[in-house]
């Protein structure tokens, strides 16, 4: 931990330029959206239904994610078993997993011809449909249950061991005196964070929702731009979406506690109370199957088609990798510049993208550039730029403390040696932040590889990235090729993350 914050003796103007760029992309596009909006009167019944659906599905998704996470996190907190570390690692996978890949995996398990319906047919029961409201909920729980488990698990690990020993010696129920108060403190913040993430759901609603009864605001924006070319309506929907996200982000900031962001999930809380072994085994077993089955089905169904994919899939894969690398370079450059400048203003600017979705920012850029140039001509460039900006809150949160730590530990020594400017960055800072830098780069690359928001808004034929081509293959019922494309996307996303993360950890100076 940094002992005391001190001024960073590095050029500060790049940070101001980077912050101005982020402000332009976030605030400037929102102003463009606001100026282009027709007004609330332009919203029809279908649009109001989309707003209701967005809020309701986010509430229900957050509720199920948090409730189901409680027994899983409790079991992980108090049980030590072989494979516990693997399961905790698996809980982090959905965050960097492309949404479209996860949806294909869920279809393989819960879809019409999936494992569940095949089992129901054998038992003589009617098949169930994954499409619509409950399909959207299922996908959101798949992505957010692991996040909720990690937040709650950290809450359990924050309870001092001595309190468990004291409760056991006094014979008082641990659940009532220790665990329930902890859950009361942690659950509200966890619930609101997941609610915010579900508000901006696009790819899940695009693939599993749709139709008048299962359309989110983001999906309505996409339809207004791509199918109706009603930019005024898209703008007013974007204003509504931003308002929802901003309110939810403020609420999340007010109720989220520091404990939800802690680390150290690899230990087990020592307990003196016994019992509940069966419940823990069931909770962990179901959670493991829920996470691993879709991923396993993606591999099983995609492997036979992986080497027989049409050329357009590999061309799209190359475009995706190029966009991801550019996004990564931009995100790292912007974050480093803002981290070096430091301060509360940089942190606030870096967090701004959390209050806006990529679809809203994309719509704003669409409105800005449309009078001057055809937006599809900028599809890949805009996608790379917005992917970098959307990953900025996570990347800055990783890099900023690392830069401050280096300056706190070695800043005075570097000053006495006269290290300034680029030499200070090259000799002092960069070697010592390789580890967080590699992790942040891997995170950005993986998130960019899976993007199916901005590119769907802008791209025309010949510009599609791999997630968009995969979605088009799914829409044309080319199941074998879509499964192969999903496996390719999974390999590339995890591969880029591994390469950057491994590169950062290799020979790291600290």
């Amino acid at each position: 931990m940094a002992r005391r914050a001190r001024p960073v003796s590095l050029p500060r103007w790049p940070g101001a330029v980077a912050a101005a760029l982020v402000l332009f992309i976030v605030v400037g596009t929102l102003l463009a959206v606001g100026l282009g909006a027709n007004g609330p009167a332009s919203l029809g019944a279908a649009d109001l239904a989309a707003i209701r659906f967005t809020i309701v599905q986010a509430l229900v998704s957050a509720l199920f994610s948090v409730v189901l996470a409680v027994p899983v996190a409790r079991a992980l907190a108090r049980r030590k078993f072989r494979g516990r570390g693997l399961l905790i690692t698996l809980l982090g996978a959905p965050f960097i997993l492309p949404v479209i890949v996860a949806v294909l995996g869920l279809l393989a398990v819960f879809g019409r011809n999936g494992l569940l319906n095949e089992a129901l047919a054998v038992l003589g029961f009617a098949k169930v449909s994954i499409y619509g409201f409950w399909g959207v909920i299922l996908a959101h729980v798949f992505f957010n249950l692991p996040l909720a488990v990690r937040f709650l698990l950290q809450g359990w690990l924050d309870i001092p061991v001595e309190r468990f020993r004291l409760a056991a010696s006094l014979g008082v129920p641990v659940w009532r005196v220790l665990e329930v108060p902890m859950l009361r403190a942690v659950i509200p913040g966890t619930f609101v964070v997941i609610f915010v993430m579900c508000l901006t759901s696009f790819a899940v609603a695009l693939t599993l929702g749709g139709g008048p009864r299962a359309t989110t605001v983001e999906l309505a924006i996409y339809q207004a731009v791509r199918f109706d070319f009603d930019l005024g309506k898209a703008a007013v929907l974007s204003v509504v979406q931003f308002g929802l996200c901003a309110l939810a982000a403020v609420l999340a900031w007010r109720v989220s506690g520091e404990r939800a962001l802690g680390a150290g999930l690899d230990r087990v809380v020592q307990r003196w109370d016994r019992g509940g072994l069966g419940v823990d085994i069931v909770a962990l077993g179901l959670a493991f199957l829920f996470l691993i089955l879709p991923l396993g089905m993606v591999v099983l169904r995609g492997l036979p088609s992986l080497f027989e994919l049409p050329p357009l899939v590999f061309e799209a894969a190359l475009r995706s990798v190029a966009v991801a690398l550019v996004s990564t370079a931009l995100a790292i450059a912007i974050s480093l510049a803002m981290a070096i400048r430091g301060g509360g203003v940089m942190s606030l600017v870096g967090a701004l993208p959390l209050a806006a979705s990529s679809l809203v920012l994309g719509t704003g850029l669409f409105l800005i550039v449309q009078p001057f140039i055809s937006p599809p001509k900028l599809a890949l460039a805009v996608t790379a730029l917005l992917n970098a900006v959307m990953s900025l809150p996570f990347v800055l949160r990783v890099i900023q403390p690392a830069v401050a730590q280096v300056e706190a530990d070695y800043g005075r020594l570097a000053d006495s040696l006269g290290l300034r400017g680029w030499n200070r960055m090259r000799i002092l800072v960069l070697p010592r932040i390789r580890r967080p830098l590699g992790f942040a780069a891997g995170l950005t690359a993986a998130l960019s590889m899976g993007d199916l928001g901005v590119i769907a808004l802008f791209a025309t034929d010949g510009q599609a990235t791999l997630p968009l081509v995969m979605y088009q293959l799914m829409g044309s019922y080319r199941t074998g090729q879509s499964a192969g494309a999903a496996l390719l996307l999974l390999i590339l996303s995890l591969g880029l993350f591994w390469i950057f993360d491994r590169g950062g950890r290799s020979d790291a100076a600290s």
Side-chain angles (χ1 to χ4, degrees):
M1 298 292 290
R3 288 187 292 271
R4 190 173 60 180
R6 66 187 302 275
V8 178
S9 301
L10 287 165
R12 295 164 65 83
W13 64 264
V17 174
L21 176 64
V22 176
L23 282 173
F24 168 74
I25 293 173
V26 178
V27 180
T29 53
L30 292 175
L31 285 174
V33 164
L35 293 173
N38 287 336
S42 63
L43 296 179
D47 302 315
L48 297 177
I51 296 171
R52 282 196 300 272
F53 179 83
T54 300
I55 297 173
V56 172
Q57 63 82 20
L59 286 171
V60 176
S61 297
L63 178 65
F64 273 91
S65 298
V66 171
V67 170
L68 294 176
V70 172
V72 180
R74 190 174 192 237
L76 280 172
R78 64 180 181 174
R79 303 293 175 192
K80 186 176 182 180
F81 56 91
R82 185 174 296 178
R84 181 177 180 275
L86 174 64
L87 182 55
I88 291 177
T89 301
L90 188 64
L91 291 173
F95 191 71
I96 60 172
L97 187 67
V99 175
I100 190 75
V101 172
V103 167
L104 193 73
L106 291 171
L107 286 170
V109 178
F110 301 99
R112 183 163 185 79
N113 297 315
L115 298 179
L116 176 63
N117 275 320
E118 288 178 0
L120 290 175
V122 169
L123 296 174
F125 293 101
K127 291 186 175 183
V128 296
S129 173
I130 192 177
Y131 294 100
F133 178 81
W134 290 110
V136 173
I137 301 299
L138 179 71
H140 284 165
V141 172
F142 175 81
F143 282 106
N144 295 304
L145 173 66
L147 181 66
V149 169
R150 293 176 75 96
F151 280 6
L152 297 181
L153 177 57
Q154 189 61 52
W156 253 289
L157 298 184
D158 284 346
I159 301 175
V161 174
E162 292 75 15
R163 295 191 184 182
F164 286 104
R165 184 187 294 118
L166 180 61
S169 64
L170 295 176
V172 296
V174 171
W175 170 256
R176 183 166 58 84
V177 299
L178 293 180
E179 295 176 321
V180 169
M182 181 277 294
L183 290 174
R184 283 179 183 159
V186 176
I187 280 181
T190 306
F191 180 91
V192 177
V193 168
I194 294 174
F195 174 75
V196 173
M197 297 176 74
C198 294
L199 273 182
T200 58
S201 173
F202 171 70
V204 168
L206 181 67
T207 49
L208 297 178
R213 300 176 62 181
T215 296
T216 60
V217 175
E218 296 237 330
L219 190 52
I221 294 171
Y222 167 74
Q223 291 167 344
V225 173
R226 293 292 294 189
F227 301 127
D228 305 330
F229 201 67
D230 188 344
L231 298 182
K233 180 179 176 182
V236 73
L237 285 169
S238 298
V239 171
V240 171
Q241 176 72 355
F242 173 74
L244 291 174
C245 291
L247 285 174
V250 170
L251 187 59
W253 176 71
R254 292 292 301 271
V255 303
S256 293
E258 289 294 327
R259 64 170 59 199
L261 299 172
L265 305 180
D266 56 340
R267 67 186 179 87
V268 178
V269 177
Q270 187 174 358
R271 302 280 292 258
W272 286 264
D273 54 318
R274 302 295 181 186
L277 179 61
V279 174
D280 289 350
I281 291 175
V282 171
L284 292 174
L286 290 178
F288 179 76
L289 289 176
F290 184 54
L291 294 175
I292 202 66
L293 271 181
L295 297 180
M297 293 302 292
V298 168
V299 175
L300 285 177
R301 294 194 173 182
L303 205 53
S305 305
L306 184 61
F307 300 103
E308 299 175 357
L309 292 171
L312 69 93
V313 173
F314 293 104
E315 293 167 5
L318 287 176
R319 277 192 289 275
S320 286
V321 172
V323 168
L325 292 178
V326 173
S327 294
T328 303
L330 285 172
I332 294 298
I334 294 171
S335 301
L336 264 178
M338 295 176 68
I340 288 169
R341 188 174 180 89
V345 174
M346 292 295 111
S347 299
L348 179 62
V349 172
L352 276 180
L354 288 174
S357 73
S358 60
L359 255 292
V360 172
L361 299 186
T363 303
L365 283 178
F366 197 105
L367 293 170
I368 290 173
V369 304
Q370 197 252 346
F372 308 103
I373 187 171
S374 174
K377 291 183 178 179
L378 301 175
L380 296 180
V382 168
T383 301
L385 179 62
L386 288 187
N387 284 345
V389 171
M390 295 309 294
S391 65
L392 187 60
F394 310 107
V395 176
L396 189 61
R397 191 171 184 86
V398 173
I399 291 179
Q400 195 170 28
V403 172
Q405 181 74 56
V406 171
E407 284 295 326
D409 290 344
Y410 303 100
R412 287 187 174 83
L413 177 60
D415 289 341
S416 68
L417 295 174
L419 280 177
R420 296 284 188 277
W422 170 243
N423 284 336
R424 191 183 184 99
M425 282 292 293
R426 181 174 59 84
I427 297 173
L428 174 67
V429 179
L430 291 179
R432 286 166 178 79
I433 63 169
R434 280 185 59 178
R435 192 183 295 268
L437 209 57
F439 175 76
L443 190 64
T444 306
L447 292 176
S448 180
M449 281 296 299
D451 173 67
L452 184 60
V454 181
I455 192 66
L457 199 65
F458 280 81
T460 57
D461 293 339
Q463 295 177 311
T465 56
L466 187 52
L468 185 55
V469 167
M470 185 188 152
Y471 170 69
Q472 292 166 346
L473 291 172
M474 290 170 64
S476 57
Y477 300 102
R478 294 155 73 177
T479 53
Q481 292 182 349
S482 62
L487 181 56
L488 179 60
L489 180 56
L490 180 65
I491 292 171
L492 290 174
S493 299
L494 298 184
L496 280 177
F497 176 80
W498 183 83
I499 289 171
F500 279 115
D501 186 46
R502 179 70 178 172
R505 285 185 282 121
S506 176
D507 297 328
S510 61

